[in-house]
Amino acid sequence: MPDAEDSELPLVSVVIPCLNEAENIEACVTAALEAIVRMGVHGEVVVADNDSEDDSARLAEAAGARVVVEPRRGYGSAYLAGFAASQGRYIVMADADLTYDFKEIPRFVAELEAGAELVMGDRMDNIQPGAMPWLHQYIGNPILTGLLNLFFRTGINDAHCGMRALRRDVLPRLDLRTTGMEFASEMVIRASKENLKIAEFPIEYHPRGGESKLSSFRDGWRHLRFLLVHSPTYLFILPGAVAAGLGGLFLLLVESGLELFGRAWGVHAIIGGALLMIVGTQVLALGLCAHAYGTYFMNERDPWFDRMRARFRLEHGLLLGGLFMLAGVALGIVILVSWIEHGFGALSYERLAVVAAAVLIVGIQIFFSSFLLSILGLRRRS
């Protein structure tokens, strides 16, 4: 229950984003207010009108909501404006399309009262016929939620449910920024990274009223893009490490003359292995820089990267890069000496030359990427 000094403020703010929902907004506001009355607490309904071109804002205000207009279009933009305008200790989020039952509000608030910091609805086992396209129900939502759980270990069954609730005091820690539909993913990811206590329970999902604003492929891509951008380990580190490792191994095996898959491999295989090693090293370096940027500029937390930066310094990277460069130069000198000894005739060290060039390039990449990581680390806070 609210403290004495907070008694004039609402306990619950129901925030509803709205874009051209004149057909549904009155019913949503009325249902939310009725749920608050049944709870017997002080509450409010805030409608974040996303510059609707119909009568949505006037209808919402007439139904008893406090309306804030956000001219910048976007699901996230509307919610950020609604959060800023709301005053409740607890914020309950729900869409303005009648897909969610506002009678569930007391359950969300009860979970917050019990100690949860973010409460998610789970629609996936209670979708009414016609409420969700099969592409979303059986492909989009399961894949995106599965990737989110793989990357960030949230343990959530339905990461994109539009009905959820959170404590107002966690908003600064979440530091939400995205303006589009990926806002739903951002909230869950940030909550996981901040180790918030997340609760989830099943709710029903009803057929929407009016026209859907969701674009399956565009919004699905925005979610996927957001997941990848915020997971440099899976976007950069793992693919880069695998490519660099396989490329280096292939170079060693082929140059040593060993047969692979029952045959000997020539210069073209050497070029392929070299390319794989060089590209893999570059992608790996980009991943480390992405981790550094997230840590130093976006207040991200990654236990793996934190351990690595505690163990390794600039000098370690410079030494490793220098060793690779030295090895590449040494191989080049071997080729040059042999060429001189043979009277500057035709060169016959194509394979060794490719290896030497690849090792030298990788050394240069490591050397200067180490400097870039150190530059990014200048922002490190004491």
Side-chain angles (χ1 to χ4, degrees), residues 263-295:
R263 57 163 295 178
W265 298 79
V267 67
H268 297 92
I270 290 283
I271 293 173
L275 179 63
L276 197 61
M277 185 172 72
I278 292 169
V279 171
T281 302
Q282 185 61 60
V283 172
L284 184 58
L286 289 173
L288 292 173
C289 291
H291 268 297
Y293 183 86
T295 299

Side-chain angles (χ1 to χ4, degrees), residues 111-124:
E111 291 287 347
L112 294 174
E113 289 277 9
E117 294 171 296
L118 173 66
V119 185
M120 302 286 300
D122 177 8
R123 307 163 296 174
M124 301 313 292

Side-chain angles (χ1 to χ4, degrees), residues 5-285:
E5 62 267 24
D6 298 330
S7 59
E8 297 301 319
L9 297 178
L11 177 69
V12 181
S13 292
V14 180
V15 178
I16 306 173
C18 176
L19 174 60
N20 298 328
E21 295 286 1
E23 185 177 339
N24 309 311
I25 193 61
E26 282 185 291
C28 291
V29 172
T30 299
L33 289 171
E34 289 176 351
I36 292 172
V37 169
R38 283 194 298 272
M39 292 172 62
V41 300
H42 183 24
E44 64 174 354
V45 176
V46 177
V47 171
D49 184 73
N50 209 191
D51 200 23
S52 295
E53 298 168 349
D54 61 11
D55 219 14
S56 296
R58 185 189 65 80
L59 293 171
E61 192 170 18
R66 184 156 56 87
V67 177
V68 55
V69 177
E70 173 50 73
R72 294 167 296 182
R73 288 286 177 89
Y75 183 78
S77 294
Y79 263 125
L80 289 172
F83 290 170
S86 63
Q87 299 177 317
R89 174 183 294 184
Y90 304 136
I91 298 174
V92 179
M93 306 161 55
D95 296 338
D97 55 9
L98 297 176
T99 51
Y100 299 105
D101 189 346
F102 287 87
K103 293 179 182 178
E104 300 281 8
I105 291 175
R107 293 178 66 194
F108 282 90
V109 174
E111 291 287 347
L112 294 174
E113 289 277 9
E117 294 171 296
L118 173 66
V119 185
M120 302 286 300
D122 177 8
R123 307 163 296 174
M124 301 313 292
D125 293 328
N126 297 281
I127 301 173
Q128 294 190 358
M132 184 181 292
W134 70 268
L135 182 65
H136 299 180
Q137 183 173 355
Y138 298 108
I139 299 177
N141 269 308
I143 289 177
L144 290 174
T145 297
L147 287 175
L148 189 146
N149 284 325
L150 173 65
F151 293 173
F152 305 102
R153 297 176 178 83
T154 63
I156 297 297
N157 294 321
D158 183 9
H160 304 100
C161 180
M163 191 168 193
R164 54 184 71 182
L166 69 157
R167 294 171 174 265
R168 165 175 294 285
D169 58 14
V170 304
L171 282 174
R173 294 167 60 190
L174 292 177
D175 191 24
L176 302 170
R177 303 181 185 187
T178 55
T179 59
M181 290 299 297
E182 65 272 25
F183 182 84
S185 294
E186 181 188 22
M187 179 176 288
V188 178
I189 291 170
R190 292 295 304 163
S192 176
K193 289 187 174 183
E194 289 295 321
N195 294 316
L196 299 189
K197 183 178 180 182
I198 303 175
E200 185 179 35
F201 59 80
I203 62 172
E204 290 190 352
Y205 191 65
H206 304 267
R208 89 169 328 273
E211 183 181 352
S212 174
K213 315 299 189 303
L214 187 66
S215 173
S216 298
F217 293 101
R218 182 192 65 199
D219 292 322
W221 163 242
R222 290 181 68 130
H223 279 289
L224 178 59
R225 180 184 66 186
F226 186 84
L227 295 180
L228 291 173
V229 167
H230 282 73
S231 181
T233 297
Y234 288 92
L235 180 60
F236 296 107
I237 301 293
L238 291 179
V242 169
L246 288 177
L249 180 61
F250 198 63
L251 279 183
L252 289 174
L253 292 177
V254 173
E255 184 59 23
S256 66
L258 294 177
E259 290 190 357
L260 292 175
F261 307 111
R263 57 163 295 178
W265 298 79
V267 67
H268 297 92
I270 290 283
I271 293 173
L275 179 63
L276 197 61
M277 185 172 72
I278 292 169
V279 171
T281 302
Q282 185 61 60
V283 172
L284 184 58

Side-chain angles (χ1 to χ4, degrees), residues 300-319:
E300 296 280 356
R301 297 178 181 176
D302 188 290
W304 174 83
F305 183 73
D306 289 340
R307 289 195 300 270
M308 291 302 101
R309 69 190 178 104
R311 293 177 182 176
F312 299 102
R313 299 190 300 274
L314 168 64
E315 292 76 16
H316 292 108
L318 298 181
L319 178 60

Side-chain angles (χ1 to χ4, degrees), residues 329-349:
V329 171
L331 291 174
I333 292 175
V334 169
I335 296 172
L336 179 61
V337 169
S338 177
W339 183 46
I340 294 172
E341 289 178 346
H342 288 80
F344 302 99
L347 279 172
S348 58
Y349 288 89

